[in-house]
Amino acid sequence: MATQDATTLDVDAIREDFPVLDRTVGGDVTVPGPDEGDDTPLYYLDNAATSHTPRQVVEAMTEYYYEYNANVHRGIHTLSQEASVAYEKAHDRVAEFINAAGREEVVFTKNTTEAFNLVAYTWGLTELEAGENIVTTEMEHHASLVTWQQLCEKQGAEVRYVEIDENGELDMDDLREKVDDDTAMVSAVHVSNTLGTVNPVVEITEIAHEHEALSFIDGAQAVPTRPVDVAAMDADFYAFSGHKMLGPTGIGVLYGKQELLEALPPFLVGGSMIRRVKFEETTWEELPWKFEAGTPPIAEAIGLTAAIDYLEEIGMETVERHETELATYAYDRLNEFDDVEIYGPTDRGGLVSFNLDGVHAHDLSSILDDHGVAVRAGDHCTQPLHDILDVPASTRASFYIYNTKAEIDELVEAVDTARQLFA
Ligand code: PLP
């Protein structure tokens, strides 16, 4: 594990924990893994899509499979008890990390998307009434936007979208206007995965509560990159994914205030989430197990615990500082080109989305890929936002703890090559 002083990351040491960063690219992509045609160093700048996994996380999961692989909550034998303890403790570790009151408030889902669906199918279908509204924003990821849109359609409720201004920031006056006494939920992304905008989530939650509405904050890009305190934020629901914060795929988190989760019906039903089943009726397990039907993501929960350990050893303030430094550097360097348009405010989370005049994002990223630079091209699951930006797609570079300014220089150089090619 990397050591560093309180303010700067020892990126070289960190990179040693991520073997994939040493690989080269450029060869046959029809088979996974390096091949003889791979001769270009990899510059991985697609962390907002998914982050890489350090040895420590892989080893924690390997240890589970090699030494105490068993199902949880259903065996008296030693292995099952060990696995159950590790799985339960993973909830405690997540609770500590985001300052939730305890494991009762931490439900493991498949990902952020499932967390939104869980709330829509439980709270939404039972509580949201015709004539009420859900206020969300123009910069939401489809995981939240489509979920609220479909829920409102089913329930005869209205979905309202808070506008963004020309800097890509939320128009808070518009938000205040759109939230009224018929608002049942206010839902906003904490850090936009396209614009990088960091939204004022405390204020958003306060406005929701002034109207007795609930708040649901999408933390998919925030939890990996900055300290998050759900208690201080007073959010009612908060969601994020393990795979964007050094953890494995297949596990996400829904945080919910205990009294709210207690009151909700289950989402999926079956084994593990029941207390007593009779032919006539069934009663539910206590929180959080009531929302975790079937065999849960055990190895993934153990991996997520190791990912949190890794991030905490670095310190989330330090992670945030590093993200800001790289995003500012990338913004400034790309801004040197007058034919590059960058979206979003100058104060931003660790990502930069942009377009090169007259060049489709897919063509640009394909050239970047030839230079070993891995970025995301497309709509980043924010199609309505791209409609507002009036472009079909954009190219997004996103940074994490193992990235360096030198990698951003590679990005900028590759963009410059593309500029000359398409000029
Ligand atoms: N919300 C935001 C802001 C995201 O960036 C993403 C993923 O890109 C999601 C939600 C959905 O995450 P997942 O695909 O892990 O469910």
Side-chain angles (χ1 to χ4, degrees):
M1 168 53 155
T3 52
Q4 59 277 310
D5 66 34
T7 54
T8 42
L9 284 180
D10 184 348
V11 176
D12 286 344
I14 286 177
R15 288 178 75 89
E16 283 177 19
D17 294 330
F18 294 82
V20 71
L21 299 176
D22 285 336
R23 76 161 277 189
T24 46
V25 293
D28 184 358
V29 294
T30 60
V31 283
D35 60 67
E36 59 190 18
D38 287 329
D39 51 13
T40 311
L42 168 69
Y43 308 105
Y44 186 81
L45 304 177
D46 193 18
N47 297 284
T50 201
S51 61
H52 281 301
T53 320
R55 287 181 203 282
Q56 290 83 341
V57 170
V58 176
E59 281 165 7
M61 294 170 73
T62 305
E63 188 189 1
Y64 159 73
Y65 280 121
Y66 283 175
E67 295 185 16
Y68 59 102
N69 176 31
N71 214 323
V72 295
H73 294 158
R74 53 189 83 182
I76 304 299
H77 62 82
T78 302
L79 267 54
S80 176
Q81 289 185 51
E82 288 175 3
S84 298
V85 168
Y87 182 68
E88 288 173 12
K89 277 194 175 159
H91 292 73
D92 300 338
R93 194 75 185 89
V94 170
E96 233 171 59
F97 187 57
I98 59 168
N99 198 26
R103 65 170 65 162
E104 298 75 15
E105 300 193 325
V106 173
V107 175
F108 286 158
T109 58
K110 204 162 54 195
N111 46 36
T112 304
T113 306
E114 190 179 86
F116 273 95
N117 278 271
L118 189 159
V119 173
Y121 278 88
T122 56
W123 168 81
L125 292 183
T126 54
E127 297 288 329
L128 184 66
E129 293 178 3
E132 291 187 323
N133 66 74
I134 290 180
V135 176
T136 185
T137 85
E138 289 179 342
M139 66 171 87
E140 295 310 298
H141 188 281
H142 297 163
S144 113
L145 194 151
V146 179
T147 305
W148 299 136
Q149 180 193 60
Q150 294 303 303
L151 172 67
C152 286
E153 209 174 288
K154 274 196 194 88
Q155 301 299 97
E158 183 193 355
V159 56
R160 299 176 177 172
Y161 301 102
V162 176
E163 290 175 13
I164 55 167
D165 64 20
E166 62 284 355
N167 291 327
E169 287 174 311
L170 267 193
D171 179 343
M172 291 301 285
D173 291 333
D174 191 46
L175 187 136
R176 271 186 214 91
E177 252 170 53
K178 284 186 169 139
V179 178
D180 61 21
D181 290 344
D182 290 324
T183 303
M185 174 74 80
V186 179
S187 179
V189 67
H190 193 162
V191 176
S192 161
N193 65 310
T194 299
L195 300 169
T197 314
V198 183
N199 284 319
V201 286
V202 173
E203 201 183 335
I204 291 169
T205 294
E206 270 170 16
I207 296 169
H209 290 169
E210 278 163 21
H211 293 270
E212 293 183 11
L214 298 173
S215 71
F216 192 149
I217 306 298
D218 176 351
Q221 298 295 342
V223 171
T225 57
R226 60 198 50 239
V228 167
D229 182 332
V230 288
M233 195 185 299
D234 201 23
D236 297 297
F237 298 107
Y238 194 97
F240 54 100
S241 299
H243 68 93
K244 294 183 198 286
M245 51 185 289
L246 310 181
T249 53
I251 187 163
V253 174
L254 170 68
Y255 158 81
K257 283 183 181 161
Q258 185 171 352
E259 66 273 19
L260 291 171
L261 292 177
E262 297 280 11
L264 295 182
F267 173 37
L268 302 174
V269 294
S272 299
M273 49 74 68
I274 50 85
R275 179 164 295 154
R276 183 75 173 90
V277 180
K278 296 185 181 176
F279 287 121
E280 300 75 24
E281 60 166 7
T282 299
T283 53
W284 315 128
E285 250 302 4
E286 59 194 23
L287 290 174
W289 324 123
K290 175 174 105 176
F291 290 108
E292 297 185 0
T295 298
I298 306 165
E300 290 78 2
I302 289 162
L304 181 59
T305 306
I308 291 174
D309 289 346
Y310 194 98
L311 286 170
E312 284 212 321
E313 195 162 327
I314 292 171
M316 292 311 292
E317 283 87 3
T318 308
V319 174
E320 182 179 5
R321 211 171 295 117
H322 184 71
E323 292 274 305
T324 306
E325 197 177 319
L326 291 185
T328 307
Y329 183 71
Y331 185 96
D332 290 344
R333 291 253 20 227
L334 288 167
N335 214 18
E336 287 166 14
F337 301 128
D338 51 15
D339 48 0
V340 167
E341 185 174 6
I342 303 174
Y343 307 106
T346 41
D347 270 353
R348 56 173 58 233
L351 60 93
V352 180
S353 298
F354 60 96
N355 264 312
L356 177 57
D357 257 6
V359 180
H360 194 283
H362 286 159
D363 295 330
L364 176 59
S365 350
S366 155
I367 290 172
L368 298 190
D369 185 48
D370 291 343
H371 288 75
V373 179
V375 292
R376 172 93 184 254
D379 56 49
H380 324 310
C381 298
T382 55
Q383 286 181 3
L385 174 60
H386 278 79
D387 290 343
I388 292 172
L389 299 174
D390 202 20
V391 287
S394 58
T395 299
R396 179 184 69 191
S398 52
F399 317 110
Y400 212 17
I401 50 173
Y402 34 70
N403 289 127
T404 63
K405 288 184 181 168
E407 289 180 296
I408 293 171
D409 291 338
E410 296 291 340
L411 162 75
V412 172
E413 204 172 297
V415 169
D416 200 22
T417 308
R419 291 174 70 233
Q420 288 162 33
L421 205 71
F422 288 105

